[in-house]
Amino acid sequence: MCGIVGYVGYRNLESVLLVGLERLSYRGYDSSGIAIISDGELSYWKTPGKIHELEKLLQNMSIQGHVGIGHTRWSTHGEPNEVNAHPQINAPHKIAIVHNGIIENYQSLKSKLLSEGFLFRSQTDSEVIVHLIARYLQDNLLEAVERAMLDLEGTYAFAVIAEKEPDKVIVAKKGSPLIIGIGKNENFISSDLNAVIPHTKDVIYMDDMDIAIVESQAVLFKKLGGAYIEKEIHHITWDATSADKNGYDHYMLKEIFEQPTIIRNIISKTIDGDHIKFDSLRMSNEELIKTTRFIIQACGTSWHAGLVAKYLMERYARVLTEVDISSEFRYRQMITGINDIVVAISQSGETADTLACIREAKSKFFKVLSFVNVQGSTIDRESDGIIYTNSGPEVGVASTKNYVAQLVTLYLFTLYLSHLKWSISSNDLVTMISELKRIPDYIDQILEQKESIRAIADKYYQHREFLFIGRGLNYPSALEGALKLKEISYIHATGYAAGELKHGPIALIDEHLPVVCIAPQSPTYDKMISNIQEVRARKGKTIVIATEGDHSIEEFADDIIRIPHVSEELTPILTVIPMQLLSYYIAVKLDCDVDQPRNLAKSVTVE
Ligand code: F6R
């Protein structure tokens, strides 16, 4: 959450900072600002609102300079306004900082600094950092930063510039991500890859307690209170253009339509003839075979993917699989087994709760296997084993393509493990792989129904409440459908296991409630039909997702969306597609900000 950029070099400073902020705006977008040093003088501009408000503010200025930092904010402490926006400034010492994270002891630090005469203007926790640095600044900025870090508790990635040392940006990290992009006679700072990849593919990931002194000709790294260190340069293969809209109205729509291609890519990377391979796995087959329990933990949409994986792993690999929400998992007393593996699922690889869980798990000597999209992210680097979900940069705040990529990758992992354990035969494996290969074409067929799904959205968009129901593997799909709708349209939506309907939620049903019923052909199909009838009997409106050729279901459906026939285990990959489109068109009809819904941020790096 919150995006940090920084630049030292000879390009147009304003444009590097603004383009960087624009590319990080999915991390938070309630206010933004930049600070620069030009001819030895510090200047800064900041404003509430999205990045284009900052662009407007800077429109007629001619900003010169070679050193600058910028920030796009997702508020934690203090409402989004100009004063609370970053950079935070210490005016007497002409120092500016941008910060991502939460300073947990800021109240006590603030009281102390106030008693010493420091003036606070904002309600942010971040402001203590800049005053602490000012407090310690005598001859050397680095020394002041190090002394300030010793006082700080909590998490941070921050970048600081000061008139006293006008040619550099000093950055420090503890708990929040920070990346240095290495250029020729220029260097970049960013809280994630997206702001760096248009300029350079060579990056250095900072670790906790690392400090970097970034100048145009060099970047020096050291540990807090320790010696200077060498850091490895990683070469990134991500393409900058994959984070553009490519003519679509919104990133979310573009990402929904990218899904068939992404699955084709995953299949071609992972399947070699009749074999499945995970190049990055970093775990031996022996370790996987002897696993007696997988404990999956994840948040939000990634948690839904984990729920689907539980069904798959238990059904095919015959391994006990638990699934927990990361923020809950951390606080229960885990019973550890010597052959347990903790599995983390995360698009960003930076989600604070998920990361905290893997650290907790490792401290208890669990092995950690993670399914991550963003290569080089903290979860990637801290896990014992890794499998990439390979969906490319996902920019829309509501996760779509990466969810589907997670489902496909978890399915492939299940097949891989099941075959290792001989719980499925080679023939089964071949059949299952060949069915998976047809999925991208099936998704194309669903996407062709976009106009009829848009018509359903037009019919129901004014309802203030929706229910989503499904069974078995499609119970998580119901949760995911409801989450998509509520996060981008602000309509209250609940996902339920259809069998639970009569244990409470049925009380909600009347002629005003649309119920999305996920009813593909499956062993629980008849039970699902009974649940749909229960809805109809109470005059609820049914939007049914059903298999092509299933005509008997039509009499129970006010509206119907078709998916091609596939084996039950693959249905969640298809049933989610119409729900993504339905949510998208409802949100567009309501004139909501689809790609940047209020209060949300793409990567949740605070607990
Ligand atoms: C919903 C959504 C969130 C994320 C959750 C976990 O559309 O995007 O619920 O799934 O914040 O994020 P990652 O997967 O990055 O750990």
Side-chain angles (χ1 to χ4, degrees):
M1 294 180 142
C2 299
I4 290 178
V5 292
Y7 179 66
V8 189
Y10 296 90
R11 298 188 196 212
N12 181 314
L13 182 59
E14 179 185 343
S15 128
V16 174
L17 294 177
L18 285 177
V19 169
L21 289 179
E22 189 62 58
R23 293 181 74 95
L24 292 186
S25 57
Y26 62 81
R27 296 183 68 97
Y29 32 78
D30 58 40
S31 51
S32 60
I34 61 169
I36 62 143
I37 296 187
S38 177
D39 289 334
E41 269 187 36
L42 178 81
S43 311
Y44 64 95
W45 300 265
K46 49 187 184 166
T47 175
K50 298 200 171 172
I51 309 294
H52 62 84
E53 296 299 332
L54 182 64
E55 281 163 357
K56 269 199 257 165
L57 184 72
L58 300 175
Q59 218 161 32
N60 296 319
M61 317 233 171
S62 121
I63 293 177
Q64 309 288 328
H66 307 298
V67 173
I69 54 178
H71 190 263
T72 174
R73 181 167 184 248
W74 184 88
S75 317
T76 56
H77 296 64
E79 64 180 75
N81 59 25
E82 197 251 325
V83 179
N84 290 333
H86 296 211
Q88 291 295 319
I89 307 293
N90 178 280
H93 288 82
K94 309 272 182 0
I95 307 173
I97 63 124
V98 290
H99 164 232
N100 181 12
I102 292 181
I103 304 302
E104 283 162 7
N105 61 338
Y106 88 99
Q107 292 283 18
S108 61
L109 291 173
K110 186 170 175 174
S111 310
K112 201 161 148 214
L113 288 161
L114 280 169
S115 71
E116 291 175 9
F118 284 87
L119 287 180
F120 277 77
R121 296 193 66 230
S122 77
Q123 286 87 50
T124 65
D125 53 332
S126 314
E127 194 176 354
V128 297
I129 305 175
V130 74
H131 297 321
L132 271 179
I133 293 172
R135 181 180 195 258
Y136 292 124
L137 184 59
Q138 287 174 349
D139 297 326
N140 186 310
L141 183 59
L142 173 63
E143 222 173 85
V145 167
E146 292 205 62
R147 292 191 66 183
M149 284 170 75
L150 292 173
D151 290 348
L152 297 173
E153 285 166 20
T155 57
Y156 52 78
F158 67 78
V160 51
I161 55 176
E163 272 191 12
K164 202 160 190 163
E165 297 187 24
D167 300 323
K168 65 182 66 144
V169 181
I170 295 188
V171 296
K173 167 183 155 48
K174 181 189 163 206
S176 298
L178 206 52
I179 288 164
I180 308 295
I182 305 296
K184 199 159 181 247
N185 302 326
E186 60 180 356
N187 291 301
F188 303 83
I189 294 152
S190 175
S191 42
D192 74 43
L193 285 176
N194 259 336
V196 168
I197 43 176
H199 308 298
T200 175
K201 298 281 168 65
D202 292 328
V203 301
I204 294 176
Y205 298 104
M206 290 184 63
D207 291 308
D208 282 352
M209 298 313 177
D210 279 357
I211 301 169
I213 302 109
V214 185
E215 299 185 1
S216 60
Q217 305 296 322
V219 186
L220 294 177
F221 292 91
K222 77 182 292 289
K223 280 284 176 205
L224 172 64
Y228 284 88
I229 49 174
E230 292 287 325
K231 303 274 297 180
E232 189 187 345
I233 299 182
H234 297 258
H235 189 75
I236 300 304
T237 50
W238 272 15
D239 176 9
T241 55
S242 55
D244 293 334
K245 270 194 216 153
N246 282 349
Y248 284 90
D249 289 344
H250 297 99
Y251 283 112
M252 182 177 176
L253 191 60
K254 176 204 155 207
E255 289 167 357
I256 290 172
F257 274 82
E258 268 174 1
Q259 295 178 116
T261 310
I262 286 164
I263 301 178
R264 286 186 189 104
N265 289 343
I266 295 172
I267 289 173
S268 76
K269 272 196 177 110
T270 318
I271 298 176
D272 186 4
D274 295 335
H275 293 281
I276 295 171
K277 58 181 172 53
F278 294 104
D279 291 337
S280 57
L281 184 55
R282 309 197 297 239
M283 263 186 182
S284 69
N285 288 346
E286 291 68 34
E287 267 176 294
L288 293 173
I289 289 170
K290 70 175 192 213
T291 304
T292 44
R293 181 173 62 152
F294 286 102
I295 309 167
I296 298 177
Q297 51 88 20
C299 302
T301 289
S302 296
W303 174 62
H304 299 156
L307 291 173
V308 174
K310 172 183 168 67
Y311 284 86
L312 297 173
M313 298 283 274
E314 292 188 342
R315 185 179 294 181
Y316 294 106
R318 308 299 298 152
V319 191
L320 177 65
T321 304
E322 291 175 21
V323 193
D324 233 328
I325 296 169
S326 308
S327 53
E328 292 297 322
F329 172 83
R330 285 181 67 193
Y331 300 106
R332 72 178 166 91
Q333 300 301 312
M334 276 183 276
I335 297 174
T336 54
I338 191 157
N339 292 324
D340 291 345
I341 289 186
V342 167
V343 174
I345 306 176
S346 175
Q347 187 286 126
S348 61
E350 300 294 352
T351 299
D353 286 313
T354 310
L355 180 59
C357 283
I358 70 169
R359 287 179 176 161
E360 174 89 11
K362 288 187 80 169
S363 75
K364 296 196 158 107
F365 305 105
F366 282 106
K367 283 271 180 188
V368 173
L369 169 63
S370 296
F371 290 78
V372 165
N373 189 39
V374 179
Q375 298 190 16
S377 57
T378 313
I379 294 179
D380 174 2
R381 286 177 294 129
E382 294 196 11
S383 301
D384 300 300
I386 196 82
I387 293 181
Y388 296 116
T389 50
N390 285 317
S391 66
E394 188 177 60
V395 178
V397 165
S399 182
T400 52
K401 64 175 184 173
N402 187 66
Y403 178 63
V404 161
Q406 285 171 339
L407 294 182
V408 170
T409 310
L410 287 160
Y411 181 70
L412 284 164
F413 178 71
T414 306
L415 297 190
Y416 178 76
L417 182 62
S418 308
H419 193 235
L420 276 184
K421 297 182 68 182
W422 286 105
S423 55
I424 61 169
S425 67
S426 297
N427 282 348
D428 291 339
L429 183 69
V430 171
T431 313
M432 292 168 98
I433 288 178
S434 67
E435 189 174 19
L436 180 69
K437 286 182 175 167
R438 293 197 290 274
I439 289 289
D441 293 341
Y442 292 159
I443 295 182
D444 277 326
Q445 288 171 31
I446 298 170
L447 293 173
E448 279 166 20
Q449 296 175 65
K450 75 176 170 96
E451 286 312 321
S452 52
I453 296 172
R454 190 206 292 260
I456 297 173
D458 289 353
K459 185 167 159 191
Y460 292 103
Y461 77 99
Q462 282 169 319
H463 289 259
R464 297 313 303 149
E465 216 174 341
F466 275 68
L467 195 61
F468 289 70
I469 56 172
R471 278 178 173 263
L473 281 150
N474 282 297
Y475 159 49
S477 310
L479 299 178
E480 177 59 10
L483 177 63
K484 282 297 85 94
L485 183 64
K486 67 188 146 201
E487 67 185 331
I488 61 168
S489 69
Y490 319 139
I491 292 172
H492 180 254
T494 310
Y496 255 99
E500 271 290 289
L501 209 55
K502 52 179 115 26
H503 300 287
I506 202 161
L508 294 169
I509 297 174
D510 63 16
E511 70 275 24
H512 304 298
L513 186 74
V515 183
V516 177
C517 310
I518 309 165
Q521 292 293 350
S522 76
T524 52
Y525 174 79
D526 291 339
K527 298 254 185 288
M528 194 63 208
I529 293 293
S530 307
N531 297 132
I532 298 174
Q533 281 174 320
E534 287 159 11
V535 174
R536 291 278 287 200
R538 286 153 187 86
K539 300 193 168 49
K541 300 280 176 274
T542 54
I543 304 166
V544 177
I545 300 173
T547 308
E548 269 163 19
D550 173 4
H551 297 297
S552 58
I553 206 165
E554 285 163 8
E555 62 174 300
F556 311 118
D558 289 289
D559 295 277
I560 196 154
I561 306 171
R562 296 292 184 180
I563 62 162
H565 183 275
V566 284
S567 305
E568 191 201 7
E569 62 271 15
L570 291 173
T571 55
I573 305 174
L574 299 187
T575 55
V576 73
I577 310 289
M579 294 191 286
Q580 295 169 344
L581 284 173
L582 185 67
S583 305
Y584 172 78
Y585 286 122
I586 289 177
V588 169
K589 189 81 187 164
L590 289 170
D591 213 14
C592 293
D593 191 341
V594 172
D595 284 331
Q596 297 186 335
R598 69 182 181 208
N599 305 339
L600 296 180
K602 182 90 188 141
S603 93
V604 184
T605 53
V606 292
E607 287 170 35

